[in-house]
mmCIF file of all heavy atoms in Angstrom:
data_model
loop_
_atom_site.group_PDB
_atom_site.id
_atom_site.type_symbol
_atom_site.label_atom_id
_atom_site.label_comp_id
_atom_site.label_asym_id
_atom_site.label_seq_id
_atom_site.Cartn_x
_atom_site.Cartn_y
_atom_site.Cartn_z
ATOM 1 N N CYS R 1 14.020 -1.345 0.957
ATOM 2 C CA CYS R 1 14.818 -2.553 0.779
ATOM 3 C C CYS R 1 14.496 -3.598 1.820
ATOM 4 O O CYS R 1 14.385 -3.296 3.029
ATOM 5 C CB CYS R 1 16.301 -2.112 0.867
ATOM 6 S SG CYS R 1 17.521 -3.441 0.587
ATOM 7 N N GLY R 2 14.335 -4.849 1.434
ATOM 8 C CA GLY R 2 14.117 -5.950 2.432
ATOM 9 C C GLY R 2 12.761 -5.950 3.048
ATOM 10 O O GLY R 2 12.653 -6.457 4.179
ATOM 11 N N PHE R 3 11.733 -5.475 2.319
ATOM 12 C CA PHE R 3 10.370 -5.542 2.842
ATOM 13 C C PHE R 3 9.955 -6.955 3.136
ATOM 14 O O PHE R 3 10.242 -7.875 2.336
ATOM 15 C CB PHE R 3 9.407 -4.927 1.814
ATOM 16 C CG PHE R 3 8.006 -4.712 2.259
ATOM 17 C CD1 PHE R 3 7.625 -3.634 3.042
ATOM 18 C CD2 PHE R 3 7.038 -5.681 1.862
ATOM 19 C CE1 PHE R 3 6.303 -3.464 3.448
ATOM 20 C CE2 PHE R 3 5.753 -5.528 2.270
ATOM 21 C CZ PHE R 3 5.410 -4.438 3.031
ATOM 22 N N LYS R 4 9.328 -7.176 4.284
ATOM 23 C CA LYS R 4 8.868 -8.490 4.678
ATOM 24 C C LYS R 4 7.402 -8.595 4.253
ATOM 25 O O LYS R 4 6.480 -8.310 4.998
ATOM 26 C CB LYS R 4 9.038 -8.669 6.149
ATOM 27 C CG LYS R 4 10.512 -8.805 6.549
ATOM 28 C CD LYS R 4 10.676 -8.900 8.004
ATOM 29 C CE LYS R 4 12.100 -8.992 8.456
ATOM 30 N NZ LYS R 4 13.006 -8.013 8.001
ATOM 31 N N GLY R 5 7.170 -9.137 2.983
ATOM 32 C CA GLY R 5 5.822 -9.185 2.432
ATOM 33 C C GLY R 5 5.068 -10.367 2.798
ATOM 34 O O GLY R 5 3.971 -10.252 3.328
ATOM 35 N N GLY R 6 5.580 -11.485 2.531
ATOM 36 C CA GLY R 6 4.934 -12.762 2.784
ATOM 37 C C GLY R 6 3.894 -13.183 1.777
ATOM 38 O O GLY R 6 3.743 -14.340 1.468
ATOM 39 N N SER R 7 3.130 -12.235 1.258
ATOM 40 C CA SER R 7 2.109 -12.548 0.253
ATOM 41 C C SER R 7 1.888 -11.319 -0.675
ATOM 42 O O SER R 7 2.259 -10.230 -0.313
ATOM 43 C CB SER R 7 0.737 -12.876 0.972
ATOM 44 O OG SER R 7 0.143 -11.757 1.512
ATOM 45 N N LYS R 8 1.265 -11.662 -1.798
ATOM 46 C CA LYS R 8 0.967 -10.585 -2.765
ATOM 47 C C LYS R 8 0.092 -9.470 -2.133
ATOM 48 O O LYS R 8 0.328 -8.282 -2.246
ATOM 49 C CB LYS R 8 0.263 -11.202 -3.926
ATOM 50 C CG LYS R 8 0.016 -10.270 -5.094
ATOM 51 C CD LYS R 8 -0.718 -11.086 -6.191
ATOM 52 C CE LYS R 8 -0.590 -10.592 -7.551
ATOM 53 N NZ LYS R 8 -1.315 -11.398 -8.567
ATOM 54 N N LYS R 9 -0.937 -9.880 -1.369
ATOM 55 C CA LYS R 9 -1.837 -8.951 -0.705
ATOM 56 C C LYS R 9 -1.063 -8.100 0.256
ATOM 57 O O LYS R 9 -1.283 -6.834 0.230
ATOM 58 C CB LYS R 9 -2.948 -9.722 0.013
ATOM 59 C CG LYS R 9 -3.953 -8.818 0.672
ATOM 60 C CD LYS R 9 -5.028 -9.646 1.376
ATOM 61 C CE LYS R 9 -5.914 -8.672 2.158
ATOM 62 N NZ LYS R 9 -6.807 -9.349 2.996
ATOM 63 N N ARG R 10 -0.279 -8.641 1.149
ATOM 64 C CA ARG R 10 0.481 -7.807 2.107
ATOM 65 C C ARG R 10 1.460 -6.873 1.370
ATOM 66 O O ARG R 10 1.663 -5.723 1.824
ATOM 67 C CB ARG R 10 1.252 -8.747 3.043
ATOM 68 C CG ARG R 10 0.347 -9.320 4.078
ATOM 69 C CD ARG R 10 1.035 -9.729 5.399
ATOM 70 N NE ARG R 10 1.785 -8.662 5.969
ATOM 71 C CZ ARG R 10 2.914 -8.817 6.602
ATOM 72 N NH1 ARG R 10 3.455 -10.040 6.669
ATOM 73 N NH2 ARG R 10 3.586 -7.837 7.102
ATOM 74 N N VAL R 11 2.034 -7.309 0.280
ATOM 75 C CA VAL R 11 2.949 -6.375 -0.486
ATOM 76 C C VAL R 11 2.144 -5.300 -1.040
ATOM 77 O O VAL R 11 2.636 -4.118 -0.936
ATOM 78 C CB VAL R 11 3.714 -7.250 -1.566
ATOM 79 C CG1 VAL R 11 4.387 -6.352 -2.556
ATOM 80 C CG2 VAL R 11 4.747 -8.161 -0.946
ATOM 81 N N LEU R 12 1.037 -5.503 -1.640
ATOM 82 C CA LEU R 12 0.272 -4.424 -2.223
ATOM 83 C C LEU R 12 -0.260 -3.466 -1.163
ATOM 84 O O LEU R 12 -0.258 -2.242 -1.339
ATOM 85 C CB LEU R 12 -0.889 -4.978 -3.071
ATOM 86 C CG LEU R 12 -0.452 -5.772 -4.286
ATOM 87 C CD1 LEU R 12 -1.683 -6.411 -5.028
ATOM 88 C CD2 LEU R 12 0.362 -4.906 -5.286
ATOM 89 N N GLU R 13 -0.633 -4.000 0.009
ATOM 90 C CA GLU R 13 -1.013 -3.149 1.169
ATOM 91 C C GLU R 13 0.144 -2.291 1.554
ATOM 92 O O GLU R 13 -0.029 -1.066 1.827
ATOM 93 C CB GLU R 13 -1.470 -4.034 2.352
ATOM 94 C CG GLU R 13 -2.857 -4.588 2.237
ATOM 95 C CD GLU R 13 -3.145 -5.513 3.347
ATOM 96 O OE1 GLU R 13 -2.291 -6.162 3.947
ATOM 97 O OE2 GLU R 13 -4.371 -5.686 3.650
ATOM 98 N N GLY R 14 1.317 -2.852 1.698
ATOM 99 C CA GLY R 14 2.488 -2.119 2.120
ATOM 100 C C GLY R 14 2.856 -1.014 1.043
ATOM 101 O O GLY R 14 3.177 0.066 1.478
ATOM 102 N N LEU R 15 2.751 -1.326 -0.168
ATOM 103 C CA LEU R 15 3.014 -0.316 -1.237
ATOM 104 C C LEU R 15 2.007 0.820 -1.098
ATOM 105 O O LEU R 15 2.379 1.988 -1.210
ATOM 106 C CB LEU R 15 2.959 -0.948 -2.604
ATOM 107 C CG LEU R 15 4.173 -1.794 -2.992
ATOM 108 C CD1 LEU R 15 3.846 -2.691 -4.183
ATOM 109 C CD2 LEU R 15 5.366 -0.917 -3.333
ATOM 110 N N ALA R 16 0.732 0.514 -0.964
ATOM 111 C CA ALA R 16 -0.299 1.515 -0.902
ATOM 112 C C ALA R 16 -0.058 2.401 0.353
ATOM 113 O O ALA R 16 -0.196 3.662 0.214
ATOM 114 C CB ALA R 16 -1.720 0.828 -0.774
ATOM 115 N N GLN R 17 0.274 1.828 1.437
ATOM 116 C CA GLN R 17 0.548 2.620 2.651
ATOM 117 C C GLN R 17 1.827 3.491 2.517
ATOM 118 O O GLN R 17 1.840 4.620 2.963
ATOM 119 C CB GLN R 17 0.620 1.722 3.896
ATOM 120 C CG GLN R 17 -0.697 1.145 4.274
ATOM 121 C CD GLN R 17 -0.634 0.231 5.464
ATOM 122 O OE1 GLN R 17 0.404 0.003 6.038
ATOM 123 N NE2 GLN R 17 -1.766 -0.282 5.838
ATOM 124 N N THR R 18 2.830 2.931 1.892
ATOM 125 C CA THR R 18 4.080 3.685 1.656
ATOM 126 C C THR R 18 3.821 4.890 0.841
ATOM 127 O O THR R 18 4.302 6.016 1.154
ATOM 128 C CB THR R 18 5.117 2.754 0.995
ATOM 129 O OG1 THR R 18 5.465 1.703 1.862
ATOM 130 C CG2 THR R 18 6.407 3.523 0.617
ATOM 131 N N ILE R 19 3.090 4.730 -0.242
ATOM 132 C CA ILE R 19 2.737 5.912 -1.054
ATOM 133 C C ILE R 19 1.852 6.917 -0.396
ATOM 134 O O ILE R 19 2.102 8.124 -0.410
ATOM 135 C CB ILE R 19 2.111 5.398 -2.413
ATOM 136 C CG1 ILE R 19 3.116 4.586 -3.196
ATOM 137 C CG2 ILE R 19 1.609 6.600 -3.191
ATOM 138 C CD1 ILE R 19 2.569 3.885 -4.411
ATOM 139 N N ALA R 20 0.841 6.464 0.290
ATOM 140 C CA ALA R 20 -0.071 7.302 1.002
ATOM 141 C C ALA R 20 0.580 8.064 2.134
ATOM 142 O O ALA R 20 0.263 9.291 2.364
ATOM 143 C CB ALA R 20 -1.298 6.551 1.549
ATOM 144 N N GLN R 21 1.556 7.501 2.747
ATOM 145 C CA GLN R 21 2.303 8.225 3.878
ATOM 146 C C GLN R 21 3.094 9.334 3.273
ATOM 147 O O GLN R 21 3.276 10.367 3.928
ATOM 148 C CB GLN R 21 3.185 7.266 4.612
ATOM 149 C CG GLN R 21 2.428 6.334 5.564
ATOM 150 C CD GLN R 21 3.332 5.254 6.146
ATOM 151 O OE1 GLN R 21 4.480 5.098 5.811
ATOM 152 N NE2 GLN R 21 2.728 4.445 7.029
ATOM 153 N N ASP R 22 3.572 9.219 2.058
ATOM 154 C CA ASP R 22 4.470 10.174 1.442
ATOM 155 C C ASP R 22 3.642 11.213 0.633
ATOM 156 O O ASP R 22 4.163 12.331 0.407
ATOM 157 C CB ASP R 22 5.496 9.503 0.558
ATOM 158 C CG ASP R 22 6.580 10.410 0.145
ATOM 159 O OD1 ASP R 22 7.100 11.150 0.986
ATOM 160 O OD2 ASP R 22 6.941 10.464 -1.062
ATOM 161 N N VAL R 23 2.463 10.839 0.115
ATOM 162 C CA VAL R 23 1.678 11.723 -0.637
ATOM 163 C C VAL R 23 0.255 11.833 -0.048
ATOM 164 O O VAL R 23 -0.617 10.989 -0.263
ATOM 165 C CB VAL R 23 1.547 11.204 -2.136
ATOM 166 C CG1 VAL R 23 0.734 12.191 -3.029
ATOM 167 C CG2 VAL R 23 2.947 10.857 -2.729
ATOM 168 N N PRO R 24 0.084 12.796 0.873
ATOM 169 C CA PRO R 24 -1.092 12.886 1.707
ATOM 170 C C PRO R 24 -2.441 12.949 0.953
ATOM 171 O O PRO R 24 -3.478 12.514 1.447
ATOM 172 C CB PRO R 24 -0.937 14.102 2.487
ATOM 173 C CG PRO R 24 0.501 14.331 2.569
ATOM 174 C CD PRO R 24 1.074 13.856 1.257
ATOM 175 N N SER R 25 -2.412 13.392 -0.296
ATOM 176 C CA SER R 25 -3.676 13.504 -1.075
ATOM 177 C C SER R 25 -4.158 12.119 -1.612
ATOM 178 O O SER R 25 -5.287 12.002 -2.018
ATOM 179 C CB SER R 25 -3.539 14.449 -2.280
ATOM 180 O OG SER R 25 -2.515 13.942 -3.189
ATOM 181 N N ILE R 26 -3.352 11.127 -1.464
ATOM 182 C CA ILE R 26 -3.667 9.784 -1.932
ATOM 183 C C ILE R 26 -4.081 8.917 -0.743
ATOM 184 O O ILE R 26 -3.409 8.849 0.260
ATOM 185 C CB ILE R 26 -2.458 9.184 -2.692
ATOM 186 C CG1 ILE R 26 -2.204 9.948 -3.916
ATOM 187 C CG2 ILE R 26 -2.709 7.727 -3.019
ATOM 188 C CD1 ILE R 26 -1.028 9.482 -4.763
ATOM 189 N N ASP R 27 -5.191 8.199 -0.895
ATOM 190 C CA ASP R 27 -5.755 7.400 0.119
ATOM 191 C C ASP R 27 -5.244 5.934 0.017
ATOM 192 O O ASP R 27 -5.380 5.342 -1.083
ATOM 193 C CB ASP R 27 -7.250 7.409 0.074
ATOM 194 C CG ASP R 27 -7.883 6.520 1.155
ATOM 195 O OD1 ASP R 27 -7.825 6.854 2.292
ATOM 196 O OD2 ASP R 27 -8.468 5.479 0.713
ATOM 197 N N ALA R 28 -4.627 5.377 1.047
ATOM 198 C CA ALA R 28 -4.031 4.037 0.964
ATOM 199 C C ALA R 28 -5.114 2.962 0.653
ATOM 200 O O ALA R 28 -4.845 2.057 -0.196
ATOM 201 C CB ALA R 28 -3.365 3.684 2.317
ATOM 202 N N ASP R 29 -6.289 3.042 1.256
ATOM 203 C CA ASP R 29 -7.317 2.085 0.980
ATOM 204 C C ASP R 29 -7.757 2.055 -0.459
ATOM 205 O O ASP R 29 -7.955 1.030 -1.063
ATOM 206 C CB ASP R 29 -8.561 2.272 1.859
ATOM 207 C CG ASP R 29 -8.236 1.931 3.320
ATOM 208 O OD1 ASP R 29 -7.322 1.117 3.594
ATOM 209 O OD2 ASP R 29 -8.900 2.469 4.211
ATOM 210 N N GLU R 30 -7.886 3.241 -1.110
ATOM 211 C CA GLU R 30 -8.239 3.440 -2.457
ATOM 212 C C GLU R 30 -7.168 2.808 -3.421
ATOM 213 O O GLU R 30 -7.494 2.082 -4.326
ATOM 214 C CB GLU R 30 -8.421 4.921 -2.760
ATOM 215 C CG GLU R 30 -8.699 5.182 -4.255
ATOM 216 C CD GLU R 30 -10.103 4.800 -4.721
ATOM 217 O OE1 GLU R 30 -10.947 4.520 -3.909
ATOM 218 O OE2 GLU R 30 -10.343 4.808 -5.913
ATOM 219 N N VAL R 31 -5.889 3.131 -3.058
ATOM 220 C CA VAL R 31 -4.809 2.595 -3.913
ATOM 221 C C VAL R 31 -4.798 1.082 -3.763
ATOM 222 O O VAL R 31 -4.687 0.371 -4.824
ATOM 223 C CB VAL R 31 -3.496 3.144 -3.409
ATOM 224 C CG1 VAL R 31 -2.276 2.478 -4.075
ATOM 225 C CG2 VAL R 31 -3.393 4.693 -3.753
ATOM 226 N N PHE R 32 -4.961 0.535 -2.622
ATOM 227 C CA PHE R 32 -4.939 -0.934 -2.406
ATOM 228 C C PHE R 32 -6.058 -1.589 -3.220
ATOM 229 O O PHE R 32 -5.862 -2.520 -3.966
ATOM 230 C CB PHE R 32 -5.071 -1.282 -0.952
ATOM 231 C CG PHE R 32 -5.156 -2.743 -0.730
ATOM 232 C CD1 PHE R 32 -4.112 -3.585 -0.962
ATOM 233 C CD2 PHE R 32 -6.356 -3.271 -0.215
ATOM 234 C CE1 PHE R 32 -4.229 -4.993 -0.792
ATOM 235 C CE2 PHE R 32 -6.479 -4.692 -0.050
ATOM 236 C CZ PHE R 32 -5.446 -5.508 -0.297
ATOM 237 N N LYS R 33 -7.258 -1.034 -3.133
ATOM 238 C CA LYS R 33 -8.392 -1.593 -3.868
ATOM 239 C C LYS R 33 -8.128 -1.513 -5.393
ATOM 240 O O LYS R 33 -8.435 -2.499 -6.145
ATOM 241 C CB LYS R 33 -9.666 -0.852 -3.559
ATOM 242 C CG LYS R 33 -10.221 -1.099 -2.186
ATOM 243 C CD LYS R 33 -11.468 -0.202 -1.880
ATOM 244 C CE LYS R 33 -11.801 -0.368 -0.445
ATOM 245 N NZ LYS R 33 -12.863 0.565 -0.040
ATOM 246 N N ARG R 34 -7.587 -0.419 -5.884
ATOM 247 C CA ARG R 34 -7.349 -0.370 -7.329
ATOM 248 C C ARG R 34 -6.222 -1.248 -7.717
ATOM 249 O O ARG R 34 -6.262 -1.899 -8.870
ATOM 250 C CB ARG R 34 -7.021 1.130 -7.667
ATOM 251 C CG ARG R 34 -8.257 1.965 -7.600
ATOM 252 C CD ARG R 34 -8.147 3.240 -8.226
ATOM 253 N NE ARG R 34 -9.355 4.026 -8.038
ATOM 254 C CZ ARG R 34 -9.876 4.739 -9.049
ATOM 255 N NH1 ARG R 34 -9.336 4.762 -10.267
ATOM 256 N NH2 ARG R 34 -10.978 5.461 -8.855
#
């Protein structure tokens, strides 16, 4: 709640990192690129 995104790119990076931190088999950089 209340994520400070600022831009589409930053939001997508934040989402990728959030998921990768919770699901170790998933790579944040790969998710972001996709």
Side-chain angles (χ1 to χ4, degrees):
C1 183
F3 185 82
K4 292 175 178 53
S7 71
K8 187 181 203 179
K9 181 181 175 187
R10 282 206 53 218
V11 166
L12 295 175
E13 284 174 332
L15 284 163
Q17 289 179 359
T18 296
I19 293 169
Q21 287 171 356
D22 193 46
V23 184
S25 64
I26 295 177
D27 179 69
D29 291 335
E30 174 75 11
V31 170
F32 175 67
K33 286 176 189 172
R34 291 194 180 223

